[in-house]
Amino acid sequence: MLRYLTRRLISLGLSLLVASALIFSVVELVPGDPASFMLGTGAQPETVAALRQQLGLDLPLPLRYLHWLGGVLSGDLGHSFTYKTPVAGMILDRMQVSLPLALMALVLAALIALPIGMFAAARHGRAGDTLAMGATQIGIALPNFWFAMLLVLVFAVNLRLLPAGGFPGWDHPGAALKALILPAFALALPQAAILARVLRSALIETLGQDYIRTARAKGLTAGQALSRHALRNALIPVLTILGMQFSFLLAGAIIIENVFYLPGLGRLIFQAITQRDLIVVQSAVLVLVAAVILVTFLVDLSYALIDPRLRR
């Protein structure tokens, strides 16, 4: 296990290094000059040149990358061109919304998907299976922004049970959690539908294995064989999908954050792109990519724990 862990840690470090170089290069290739954007179209060339020098934009690209990477490794992500504040602080503020929202959506997706997937697999080929898969198909097809607005109309406008939008901050934990419930449901529904279909397929394949027939021959019911033996062996594809979904939920919630007016990381990136605040875009995207790579690393470790053959 130690050798496997060492290999995976080396791969993790190389992946982060390559990702940082790609992110920096791609963002720098975006046309337009941040200094000109910040000063406006009427700025004098001398003023623009002075600001470019102040921001370090006149340095060669490799040198700027090394300066940026050195700052990232020391925890300094630079200062926002637009807001004149440390980027690390801005990202931490936004992560206090995006991270709990993604985790809530992921837990909700798993709680919805697991019973549906197990129900459908246990009734493979019967009416219950068809009904469950039809429901998941609808869940995948529904646009999440439309479902988000439907949730607002039902639970915020008509029933007045939950807030329609905004985020009060974690100084009021109860109100903050209530503000995240509807966005989390809107994000979780399509993910739950996908996860339920993957789990059903994995369980059906596992239920056809010889050791499941042996377990049934020893007297276990279909439900007992499914929950005690098949579910554990069907977890690898489910964990893969969960890892991918967490990445999507963390980075891909821009539309839902706008529908519910949540100050999350997705909205920060969107605003930074429109303001040509490159240092914010680079750092925020790097944080998201690092989160994705870290989750993938944890998923790989969980594979090795579930199936020791994968450690070789």
Side-chain angles (χ1 to χ4, degrees):
M1 184 66 184
L2 183 60
R3 181 182 297 177
Y4 175 81
L5 183 62
T6 304
R7 288 203 310 266
R8 294 300 303 142
L9 283 173
I10 293 172
S11 175
L12 174 70
L14 291 174
S15 300
L16 288 172
L17 186 62
V18 172
S20 70
L22 284 175
I23 291 167
F24 185 87
S25 303
V26 170
V27 173
E28 290 294 327
L29 288 175
V30 175
D33 182 9
S36 300
F37 184 87
M38 292 167 65
L39 293 173
T41 54
Q44 296 295 323
E46 297 80 12
T47 311
V48 174
L51 183 59
R52 285 180 57 80
Q53 186 178 17
Q54 179 186 345
L55 298 175
L57 298 174
D58 58 335
L59 298 173
L61 191 63
L63 192 57
R64 287 164 56 194
Y65 168 69
L66 291 177
H67 283 174
W68 176 67
L69 184 62
V72 169
L73 293 175
S74 64
D76 178 12
L77 301 182
H79 282 65
S80 164
F81 297 162
T82 306
Y83 300 103
K84 312 297 183 190
T85 56
V87 175
M90 294 174 66
I91 292 176
L92 282 176
D93 285 344
R94 302 305 183 99
M95 287 291 278
Q96 291 179 23
V97 178
S98 293
L99 188 59
L101 176 61
L103 288 173
M104 284 179 69
L106 194 68
V107 171
L108 283 172
L111 290 177
I112 296 170
L114 284 174
I116 294 176
M118 293 176 68
F119 174 85
R123 290 159 181 78
H124 180 216
R126 290 184 273 172
D129 181 24
T130 304
L131 187 63
M133 289 303 99
T136 58
Q137 189 62 53
I138 294 173
I140 294 171
L142 282 179
N144 59 1
F145 71 89
W146 179 87
F147 183 59
M149 290 189 285
L150 181 66
L151 290 174
V152 170
L153 286 174
V154 173
F155 293 100
V157 177
N158 292 330
L159 299 178
R160 298 181 182 278
L161 294 175
L162 294 166
F167 187 73
W170 290 106
D171 293 336
H172 309 281
L177 286 174
K178 285 180 70 174
L180 294 181
I181 290 175
L182 291 184
F185 260 111
L187 283 171
L189 182 70
Q191 308 307 316
I194 295 170
L195 189 61
R197 294 178 77 88
V198 171
L199 179 62
R200 168 188 174 272
S201 300
L203 283 173
I204 289 173
E205 183 179 350
T206 306
L207 287 171
Q209 301 294 320
D210 290 339
Y211 68 91
I212 296 293
R213 297 192 188 95
T214 303
R216 292 293 308 275
K218 290 181 177 178
L220 293 184
T221 65
Q224 289 171 330
L226 188 147
S227 59
R228 293 183 188 179
H229 299 285
L231 184 59
R232 176 187 174 90
N233 292 295
L235 280 181
I236 286 182
V238 174
L239 286 172
T240 303
I241 297 298
L242 276 174
M244 294 170 62
Q245 286 183 338
F246 179 75
S247 310
F248 169 80
L249 292 170
L250 190 60
I254 297 175
I255 294 175
I256 295 300
E257 287 177 1
N258 277 286
V259 170
F260 290 96
Y261 204 67
L262 294 175
L265 197 58
R267 282 191 69 196
L268 174 66
I269 295 174
F270 179 74
Q271 291 167 344
I273 290 172
T274 58
Q275 294 164 341
R276 293 284 301 158
D277 203 341
L278 297 186
I279 190 69
V280 174
V281 177
Q282 286 169 345
S283 301
V285 173
L286 180 65
V287 168
L288 288 174
V289 171
V292 171
I293 292 174
L294 183 61
V295 169
T296 305
F297 171 73
L298 294 175
V299 170
D300 285 348
L301 287 188
S302 65
Y303 289 170
L305 291 174
I306 293 172
D307 188 350
R309 293 173 298 176
L310 297 177
R311 300 174 193 172
R312 298 168 189 163

